[in-house]
Amino acid sequence: MQLGDILHSTLLMSAPLIFAAMGGLFTYKVGLINIALEGLMTIGAFSSILFTFYTHSLIIGIVAGIIAGLLASILFALFVLGLKCNLIVSGLAINIAAISGTDYLLQVMFHTRGSFSPENITMLPKFSLGIFEKIPLIGPMLSNQGIMVYVSILFVFIVTYVVNKTVFGIRIKATGENAIAAKSTGIDPKKIYLYTFIWSGVLSALGGIQLSLGYVGLFNQNITSGRGFMALAAIYFADGKPLLTTAACLLFGLLQALQYRLQIITKIPPQFPQILPYLGVVLVLWFISYKERKKNV
Amino acid sequence: MNTVSKIKIQEIFYSLFLPVSAVSVAFLIGGLILLLSGKNPISIYLTLFQYSIGTRSGFFDSLLLSTPLIFTGLATAISFRAGIWNIGIEGSLYIGAFASAWVAFTFIHLPGPLLIFLSFLLGGIAGGLWGLFPGFLRAFYKVDEVVSTIMLNYVAILFTSYLVNYPFAVPGLANAMSKSIAKQAFLKRLAPPSQFNISYIIALFTVIIITFTYYRTTFGYETKLVGLNPIFARWSGISTPNVIVKAFFVSGILGGIAGSAQVLGVNYRFIANFSPGYGFDGLAIALLSRLHPIGIFASATLFGMIRSSIPQLEIFEDVPKNILGILEASIMLFATATVIIEWAKRRKHAIR
């Protein structure tokens, strides 16, 4: 059990989290509590594996996943912004609808209960960027990963850039701080909200694609098993700062990677490392508030 | 008829209009999905109602399945009324269930009624204490309760799973569950072969108690005020943090009792991951009934009816059980579409 192995697994496990977290980052910055990341990931995972199965084309599968995430997030936005449904309830509803709906479709279309794992499904290709292998420590981590893993890292840079250096990023920050004031400067908060919803949908769907096509080519309704919430946790952990959020995702990925190894080697029950991310968020939230209070006093 | 009763009738109309229309739209959407899957929604819905009300086993199963939902619906409603988005009832459910199971399989020499009472008591208190974590965080540190309660749900589920897999594991049992509770703690079945038991009566009492609490106690008044306008509540001398903590505690107690009822009345032991989302159903129910206890009772019964007929639908009409989740999600969405209320109000004024 070498360090290189562990680091490799860490990045592998973190990729979906990073996608979802980068997606949810904008909604966080804009002041919206986006619980639907879980459901959006599921929708992306399902659509991509479904279309890849039918068309034997990975590209169509990926595009299908993205479009599904796009449509779902637009629906989400419609309910919250258009019909004025409660944000939290709508998010929960999207999650429930996604998990139930995908399983429902599985049963109706394939008469399967549980998992959908077609044989010989085209999976996401892996490759190795040779240059990385030379770097000590993180070298093995970055080589021989699936293409989506690299894309997730790419998005970290994209999001960091957008947040800090673009007009859109400033508009998001402004709307997040004070939507009414932002409106007076010509920013349309509703449009900004819509964009952040769409972004969260597309990126979460990409994370879902990695989940279904990037690991073992399988889908079941619990494929996300809380990852959407872990991504949310990472965002809150880091107060929406992209690099810190990614670090949190890597931490959670590390815990997941260690989980299996720990079980074999030590006697630590698997539930404990599983609990850590969730408990960690609560503690961090408390800690952040505690510091705020001290400042104000 | 005078103005006061006119207003009262209007209130009743509005409080019924939304749930009825939300449920109707949800059934419409469900029907559409069924239609698109090549099934006949009319015959399916007919089977649903026929079975859940018309047959003896269906009827009692409906009531049985509505029992935990009544508790979790009330639990969620109490928090929501105080303006607290407490999504953590599921967690209290698990903690309370384990606590009551522990009492019931540890103190096996106590007489039945006493054991049952202690089991419920400890289950409720455990659930309540669990609710205090996010409660204190929200009351004194202003930590957003949506995220904290969702996280703590996972912690509760994983922690109780750990408990039955390690310290309280039973050698020889394949599944992750605790040992059986003492025989005298089994809640009496009222209509065998259905699992319908006394916990339903307890649920009914709870509805009455909570209704009383809402309208006639200080706590009910304070939570309502804090929910409506925390600043005004403060000016009235109400300590908002105290009310928040109390609300979390009471919600937790009810969640714990919901778990205890499952342990003592249905499973007779603690089973890991036993809840198919009773806490979240409670949320949908609380929203649908606009936090009103009687409405919660009605909505819980409706959900119970749907859940009870799922096996029938699966076998005879080839409907996957996940249609329930789709119906639920639709209900949740449309129950909070405040635009419907605004539309109704505008229409009413337009006619004048």
Side-chain angles (χ1 to χ4, degrees), chain A residues 13-33:
Chain A
M13 300 263 95
S14 308
L17 292 177
I18 294 177
F19 270 120
M22 291 301 113
L25 204 93
F26 288 149
T27 45
Y28 174 83
K29 277 193 159 315
V30 132
L32 298 168
I33 304 179

Side-chain angles (χ1 to χ4, degrees), chain A residues 33 35 38 79 82-86 88-90 92-94 96-97 99-101 103-104 107-108 111 113 221 225-227 229-230 232-233 236 263 267-272 274-275 277-279 281-282 285-286 289-290 293, chain B residues 30 33-34 37 39 80 85 87 137 140-144 146-148 150-152 154-155 157-159 161-162 165-166 280 283 287 314 318-326 328-330 332-334 336-340 342:
Chain A
I33 304 179
I35 314 187
E38 184 93 354
F79 275 112
L83 294 183
K84 300 207 206 306
C85 296
N86 181 281
I88 292 160
V89 172
S90 309
L92 277 174
I94 298 265
I96 297 178
I99 294 180
S100 308
D103 197 57
Y104 179 82
Q107 283 204 264
V108 166
H111 299 287
R113 279 276 203 97
Q221 68 173 164
S225 62
R227 284 186 173 88
F229 290 116
M230 264 198 248
L232 195 70
Y236 271 81
Q263 248 190 301
K267 289 284 177 64
I268 301 181
Q271 285 88 0
F272 282 147
Q274 281 173 317
I275 286 185
Y278 305 111
L279 200 56
V281 169
V282 179
L285 286 176
W286 169 78
S289 292
Y290 178 71
R293 288 189 99 214
Chain B
I33 294 183
L34 288 170
S37 327
K39 307 191 200 306
F80 279 18
W85 290 106
I87 322 276
L137 288 179
F140 299 111
Y141 294 97
K142 296 234 179 2
V143 171
D144 190 275
V146 174
V147 178
S148 60
I150 292 180
M151 296 291 139
L152 287 172
Y154 282 105
V155 175
I157 297 175
L158 287 168
F159 181 62
S161 164
Y162 156 74
N165 275 305
Y166 291 89
F280 297 110
L283 200 124
L287 289 169
E314 271 191 310
D318 196 28
V319 176
K321 63 172 157 39
N322 288 292
I323 191 73
L324 172 70
I326 296 176
E328 231 184 73
S330 313
M332 282 171 76
L333 278 174
F334 291 104
T336 53
T338 44
V339 73
I340 298 179
E342 291 171 20

Side-chain angles (χ1 to χ4, degrees), chain B residues 168-185:
Chain B
F168 293 95
V170 180
L173 270 186
N175 294 327
M177 51 175 110
S178 72
K179 54 183 173 202
S180 171
I181 61 178
K183 282 274 182 326
Q184 67 268 30

Side-chain angles (χ1 to χ4, degrees), chain B residues 228-245:
Chain B
L228 285 176
N229 191 334
I231 299 176
F232 174 69
R234 182 115 190 287
W235 280 103
S236 307
I238 299 172
S239 160
T240 305
N242 279 353
V243 172
I244 291 179
V245 170

Side-chain angles (χ1 to χ4, degrees), chain A residues 59-240:
Chain A
I59 305 223
I60 296 188
I62 294 178
V63 169
I66 294 178
I67 295 184
L70 184 78
L71 291 175
S73 56
I74 291 181
L75 195 70
F76 186 29
L78 214 84
F79 275 112
V80 174
L81 301 172
L83 294 183
K84 300 207 206 306
C85 296
N86 181 281
L87 174 67
I88 292 160
V89 172
S90 309
L92 277 174
I94 298 265
N95 287 347
I96 297 178
I99 294 180
S100 308
T102 51
D103 197 57
Y104 179 82
L105 284 172
L106 271 186
Q107 283 204 264
V108 166
M109 294 170 106
F110 302 105
H111 299 287
T112 0
R113 279 276 203 97
S115 302
F116 174 62
S117 51
E119 291 165 10
N120 303 323
I121 183 123
T122 337
M123 300 226 296
L124 292 169
K126 295 193 205 184
F127 57 92
S128 198
L129 295 187
I131 26 165
F132 286 135
E133 268 162 39
K134 305 290 172 53
I135 309 176
L137 217 70
I138 51 173
M141 175 170 164
L142 294 170
S143 350
N144 204 22
Q145 294 277 18
I147 187 169
M148 276 302 198
V149 178
Y150 295 117
V151 172
S152 68
I153 299 180
L154 182 67
F155 270 103
V156 174
F157 291 117
I158 293 179
V159 167
T160 314
Y161 178 74
V162 169
V163 164
N164 293 323
K165 302 261 195 235
T166 64
V167 177
F168 184 60
I170 295 181
R171 289 203 174 136
I172 287 183
K173 278 191 206 167
T175 318
E177 293 230 10
N178 192 332
I180 301 176
K183 203 166 181 192
S184 67
T185 61
I187 302 172
D188 182 358
K190 273 202 170 169
K191 255 205 210 151
I192 304 275
Y193 291 145
L194 180 64
Y195 293 147
T196 56
F197 275 123
I198 293 180
W199 182 258
S200 69
V202 171
L203 254 72
S204 304
L206 287 173
I209 295 174
Q210 165 68 7
L211 276 178
S212 62
L213 293 172
Y215 292 132
V216 286
L218 171 107
F219 174 85
N220 64 53
Q221 68 173 164
N222 286 316
I223 197 172
T224 48
S225 62
R227 284 186 173 88
F229 290 116
M230 264 198 248
L232 195 70
I235 299 173
Y236 271 81
F237 223 69
D239 193 27

Side-chain angles (χ1 to χ4, degrees), chain A residues 34-55:
Chain A
N34 188 349
I35 314 187
L37 298 173
E38 184 93 354
L40 293 167
M41 276 179 107
T42 311
I43 292 175
F46 179 71
S47 316
S48 59
I49 202 173
L50 189 75
F51 278 84
T52 310
F53 172 70
Y54 275 131
T55 64

Side-chain angles (χ1 to χ4, degrees), chain B residues 25-54:
Chain B
V25 174
F27 270 94
L28 259 160
I29 293 184
L32 202 68
I33 294 183
L34 288 170
L35 206 62
L36 289 173
S37 327
K39 307 191 200 306
N40 180 350
I42 314 253
S43 87
I44 291 176
Y45 287 145
L46 270 175
T47 312
L48 196 159
F49 285 106
Q50 252 178 334
Y51 178 73
S52 54
I53 312 181

